[in-house]
PDB file of all heavy atoms in Angstrom:
ATOM      1  N   GLN A 206      26.465  -9.889  13.816  1.00 84.00           N
ATOM      2  CA  GLN A 206      26.556  -8.442  13.865  1.00 84.00           C
ATOM      3  C   GLN A 206      25.494  -7.834  12.993  1.00 84.00           C
ATOM      4  O   GLN A 206      25.122  -8.305  11.921  1.00 84.00           O
ATOM      5  CB  GLN A 206      27.942  -7.930  13.485  1.00 84.00           C
ATOM      6  CG  GLN A 206      29.064  -8.379  14.411  1.00 84.00           C
ATOM      7  CD  GLN A 206      28.898  -7.737  15.820  1.00 84.00           C
ATOM      8  OE1 GLN A 206      28.613  -6.565  15.960  1.00 84.00           O
ATOM      9  NE2 GLN A 206      29.086  -8.582  16.833  1.00 84.00           N
ATOM     10  N   PHE A 207      25.041  -6.639  13.451  1.00 85.00           N
ATOM     11  CA  PHE A 207      23.963  -5.963  12.788  1.00 85.00           C
ATOM     12  C   PHE A 207      24.228  -5.669  11.310  1.00 85.00           C
ATOM     13  O   PHE A 207      23.441  -6.016  10.442  1.00 85.00           O
ATOM     14  CB  PHE A 207      23.612  -4.718  13.532  1.00 85.00           C
ATOM     15  CG  PHE A 207      22.587  -3.801  12.846  1.00 85.00           C
ATOM     16  CD1 PHE A 207      21.274  -4.133  12.734  1.00 85.00           C
ATOM     17  CD2 PHE A 207      22.993  -2.569  12.275  1.00 85.00           C
ATOM     18  CE1 PHE A 207      20.355  -3.348  12.105  1.00 85.00           C
ATOM     19  CE2 PHE A 207      22.083  -1.758  11.674  1.00 85.00           C
ATOM     20  CZ  PHE A 207      20.720  -2.136  11.591  1.00 85.00           C
ATOM     21  N   LEU A 208      25.381  -4.975  11.026  1.00 86.00           N
ATOM     22  CA  LEU A 208      25.655  -4.606   9.659  1.00 86.00           C
ATOM     23  C   LEU A 208      25.855  -5.788   8.735  1.00 86.00           C
ATOM     24  O   LEU A 208      25.453  -5.820   7.589  1.00 86.00           O
ATOM     25  CB  LEU A 208      26.873  -3.683   9.603  1.00 86.00           C
ATOM     26  CG  LEU A 208      26.709  -2.252  10.154  1.00 86.00           C
ATOM     27  CD1 LEU A 208      27.975  -1.546  10.093  1.00 86.00           C
ATOM     28  CD2 LEU A 208      25.625  -1.573   9.358  1.00 86.00           C
ATOM     29  N   GLU A 209      26.482  -6.857   9.271  1.00 89.00           N
ATOM     30  CA  GLU A 209      26.645  -8.085   8.522  1.00 89.00           C
ATOM     31  C   GLU A 209      25.330  -8.719   8.208  1.00 89.00           C
ATOM     32  O   GLU A 209      25.047  -9.225   7.076  1.00 89.00           O
ATOM     33  CB  GLU A 209      27.533  -9.053   9.240  1.00 89.00           C
ATOM     34  CG  GLU A 209      29.021  -8.549   9.481  1.00 89.00           C
ATOM     35  CD  GLU A 209      29.769  -9.546  10.305  1.00 89.00           C
ATOM     36  OE1 GLU A 209      29.202 -10.569  10.787  1.00 89.00           O
ATOM     37  OE2 GLU A 209      30.959  -9.272  10.576  1.00 89.00           O
ATOM     38  N   PHE A 210      24.443  -8.743   9.157  1.00 90.00           N
ATOM     39  CA  PHE A 210      23.070  -9.293   8.986  1.00 90.00           C
ATOM     40  C   PHE A 210      22.330  -8.463   7.915  1.00 90.00           C
ATOM     41  O   PHE A 210      21.680  -9.051   7.041  1.00 90.00           O
ATOM     42  CB  PHE A 210      22.312  -9.226  10.343  1.00 90.00           C
ATOM     43  CG  PHE A 210      20.850  -9.478  10.232  1.00 90.00           C
ATOM     44  CD1 PHE A 210      20.388 -10.813   9.955  1.00 90.00           C
ATOM     45  CD2 PHE A 210      19.974  -8.527  10.405  1.00 90.00           C
ATOM     46  CE1 PHE A 210      19.064 -11.076   9.865  1.00 90.00           C
ATOM     47  CE2 PHE A 210      18.590  -8.734  10.355  1.00 90.00           C
ATOM     48  CZ  PHE A 210      18.128 -10.024  10.024  1.00 90.00           C
ATOM     49  N   ILE A 211      22.420  -7.146   7.965  1.00 90.00           N
ATOM     50  CA  ILE A 211      21.744  -6.315   6.994  1.00 90.00           C
ATOM     51  C   ILE A 211      22.285  -6.550   5.587  1.00 90.00           C
ATOM     52  O   ILE A 211      21.481  -6.690   4.576  1.00 90.00           O
ATOM     53  CB  ILE A 211      21.875  -4.794   7.375  1.00 90.00           C
ATOM     54  CG1 ILE A 211      21.202  -4.483   8.671  1.00 90.00           C
ATOM     55  CG2 ILE A 211      21.367  -3.907   6.282  1.00 90.00           C
ATOM     56  CD1 ILE A 211      19.758  -4.799   8.735  1.00 90.00           C
ATOM     57  N   GLU A 212      23.621  -6.588   5.440  1.00 90.00           N
ATOM     58  CA  GLU A 212      24.169  -6.833   4.117  1.00 90.00           C
ATOM     59  C   GLU A 212      23.707  -8.167   3.536  1.00 90.00           C
ATOM     60  O   GLU A 212      23.480  -8.322   2.342  1.00 90.00           O
ATOM     61  CB  GLU A 212      25.706  -6.743   4.235  1.00 90.00           C
ATOM     62  CG  GLU A 212      26.252  -5.377   4.415  1.00 90.00           C
ATOM     63  CD  GLU A 212      25.878  -4.397   3.286  1.00 90.00           C
ATOM     64  OE1 GLU A 212      25.668  -4.859   2.161  1.00 90.00           O
ATOM     65  OE2 GLU A 212      25.791  -3.162   3.537  1.00 90.00           O
ATOM     66  N   GLU A 213      23.679  -9.162   4.472  1.00 90.00           N
ATOM     67  CA  GLU A 213      23.228 -10.501   4.028  1.00 90.00           C
ATOM     68  C   GLU A 213      21.796 -10.472   3.480  1.00 90.00           C
ATOM     69  O   GLU A 213      21.457 -11.064   2.470  1.00 90.00           O
ATOM     70  CB  GLU A 213      23.335 -11.452   5.172  1.00 90.00           C
ATOM     71  CG  GLU A 213      22.814 -12.839   4.886  1.00 90.00           C
ATOM     72  CD  GLU A 213      22.633 -13.741   6.149  1.00 90.00           C
ATOM     73  OE1 GLU A 213      23.358 -13.403   7.190  1.00 90.00           O
ATOM     74  OE2 GLU A 213      21.868 -14.633   6.103  1.00 90.00           O
ATOM     75  N   LYS A 214      20.937  -9.678   4.201  1.00 91.00           N
ATOM     76  CA  LYS A 214      19.528  -9.627   3.760  1.00 91.00           C
ATOM     77  C   LYS A 214      19.359  -8.868   2.496  1.00 91.00           C
ATOM     78  O   LYS A 214      18.527  -9.188   1.632  1.00 91.00           O
ATOM     79  CB  LYS A 214      18.694  -8.996   4.894  1.00 91.00           C
ATOM     80  CG  LYS A 214      18.539  -9.947   6.136  1.00 91.00           C
ATOM     81  CD  LYS A 214      17.958 -11.263   5.667  1.00 91.00           C
ATOM     82  CE  LYS A 214      17.999 -12.306   6.803  1.00 91.00           C
ATOM     83  NZ  LYS A 214      17.548 -13.622   6.389  1.00 91.00           N
ATOM     84  N   PHE A 215      20.153  -7.754   2.350  1.00 91.00           N
ATOM     85  CA  PHE A 215      20.071  -7.056   1.088  1.00 91.00           C
ATOM     86  C   PHE A 215      20.525  -7.942  -0.072  1.00 91.00           C
ATOM     87  O   PHE A 215      19.957  -7.918  -1.189  1.00 91.00           O
ATOM     88  CB  PHE A 215      20.948  -5.795   1.142  1.00 91.00           C
ATOM     89  CG  PHE A 215      20.261  -4.524   1.664  1.00 91.00           C
ATOM     90  CD1 PHE A 215      20.727  -3.814   2.711  1.00 91.00           C
ATOM     91  CD2 PHE A 215      19.020  -4.139   1.115  1.00 91.00           C
ATOM     92  CE1 PHE A 215      20.052  -2.693   3.185  1.00 91.00           C
ATOM     93  CE2 PHE A 215      18.317  -3.089   1.591  1.00 91.00           C
ATOM     94  CZ  PHE A 215      18.881  -2.351   2.611  1.00 91.00           C
ATOM     95  N   THR A 216      21.606  -8.663   0.127  1.00 91.00           N
ATOM     96  CA  THR A 216      22.101  -9.580  -0.908  1.00 91.00           C
ATOM     97  C   THR A 216      21.032 -10.625  -1.242  1.00 91.00           C
ATOM     98  O   THR A 216      20.773 -10.911  -2.465  1.00 91.00           O
ATOM     99  CB  THR A 216      23.378 -10.271  -0.466  1.00 91.00           C
ATOM    100  OG1 THR A 216      24.373  -9.287  -0.179  1.00 91.00           O
ATOM    101  CG2 THR A 216      23.912 -11.216  -1.534  1.00 91.00           C
ATOM    102  N   GLN A 217      20.427 -11.213  -0.228  1.00 90.00           N
ATOM    103  CA  GLN A 217      19.343 -12.196  -0.417  1.00 90.00           C
ATOM    104  C   GLN A 217      18.249 -11.605  -1.213  1.00 90.00           C
ATOM    105  O   GLN A 217      17.708 -12.264  -2.141  1.00 90.00           O
ATOM    106  CB  GLN A 217      18.834 -12.698   0.961  1.00 90.00           C
ATOM    107  CG  GLN A 217      17.723 -13.706   0.795  1.00 90.00           C
ATOM    108  CD  GLN A 217      17.111 -14.014   2.182  1.00 90.00           C
ATOM    109  OE1 GLN A 217      17.555 -13.542   3.216  1.00 90.00           O
ATOM    110  NE2 GLN A 217      16.027 -14.824   2.180  1.00 90.00           N
ATOM    111  N   LEU A 218      17.835 -10.416  -0.855  1.00 91.00           N
ATOM    112  CA  LEU A 218      16.735  -9.731  -1.588  1.00 91.00           C
ATOM    113  C   LEU A 218      17.079  -9.432  -3.041  1.00 91.00           C
ATOM    114  O   LEU A 218      16.221  -9.744  -3.925  1.00 91.00           O
ATOM    115  CB  LEU A 218      16.367  -8.455  -0.861  1.00 91.00           C
ATOM    116  CG  LEU A 218      15.138  -7.658  -1.407  1.00 91.00           C
ATOM    117  CD1 LEU A 218      13.911  -8.529  -1.473  1.00 91.00           C
ATOM    118  CD2 LEU A 218      14.908  -6.419  -0.508  1.00 91.00           C
ATOM    119  N   ARG A 219      18.261  -8.991  -3.285  1.00 91.00           N
ATOM    120  CA  ARG A 219      18.647  -8.631  -4.655  1.00 91.00           C
ATOM    121  C   ARG A 219      18.790  -9.895  -5.480  1.00 91.00           C
ATOM    122  O   ARG A 219      18.505  -9.852  -6.704  1.00 91.00           O
ATOM    123  CB  ARG A 219      19.977  -7.860  -4.625  1.00 91.00           C
ATOM    124  CG  ARG A 219      19.820  -6.410  -4.230  1.00 91.00           C
ATOM    125  CD  ARG A 219      21.176  -5.656  -4.441  1.00 91.00           C
ATOM    126  NE  ARG A 219      21.013  -4.258  -4.288  1.00 91.00           N
ATOM    127  CZ  ARG A 219      21.369  -3.557  -3.232  1.00 91.00           C
ATOM    128  NH1 ARG A 219      21.827  -4.161  -2.194  1.00 91.00           N
ATOM    129  NH2 ARG A 219      21.143  -2.252  -3.196  1.00 91.00           N
ATOM    130  N   GLN A 220      19.202 -10.966  -4.944  1.00 91.00           N
ATOM    131  CA  GLN A 220      19.466 -12.211  -5.678  1.00 91.00           C
ATOM    132  C   GLN A 220      18.174 -13.032  -5.857  1.00 91.00           C
ATOM    133  O   GLN A 220      18.066 -13.834  -6.803  1.00 91.00           O
ATOM    134  CB  GLN A 220      20.562 -13.049  -5.039  1.00 91.00           C
ATOM    135  CG  GLN A 220      21.946 -12.441  -5.118  1.00 91.00           C
ATOM    136  CD  GLN A 220      22.961 -13.233  -4.363  1.00 91.00           C
ATOM    137  OE1 GLN A 220      22.670 -14.236  -3.671  1.00 91.00           O
ATOM    138  NE2 GLN A 220      24.243 -12.906  -4.555  1.00 91.00           N
ATOM    139  N   ASN A 221      17.211 -12.860  -4.968  1.00 91.00           N
ATOM    140  CA  ASN A 221      16.046 -13.771  -5.013  1.00 91.00           C
ATOM    141  C   ASN A 221      14.750 -13.025  -4.644  1.00 91.00           C
ATOM    142  O   ASN A 221      14.054 -13.488  -3.733  1.00 91.00           O
ATOM    143  CB  ASN A 221      16.299 -14.958  -4.004  1.00 91.00           C
ATOM    144  CG  ASN A 221      15.242 -15.960  -4.144  1.00 91.00           C
ATOM    145  OD1 ASN A 221      14.764 -16.242  -5.213  1.00 91.00           O
ATOM    146  ND2 ASN A 221      14.860 -16.560  -2.996  1.00 91.00           N
TER     147      ASN A 221
END
Side-chain angles (χ1 to χ4, degrees):
Q206 294 295 316
F207 172 69
L208 288 178
E209 294 174 0
F210 169 71
I211 295 300
E212 290 299 333
E213 176 191 338
K214 290 304 172 184
F215 271 128
T216 300
Q217 178 188 357
L218 182 56
R219 284 189 168 101
Q220 293 178 349
N221 187 36

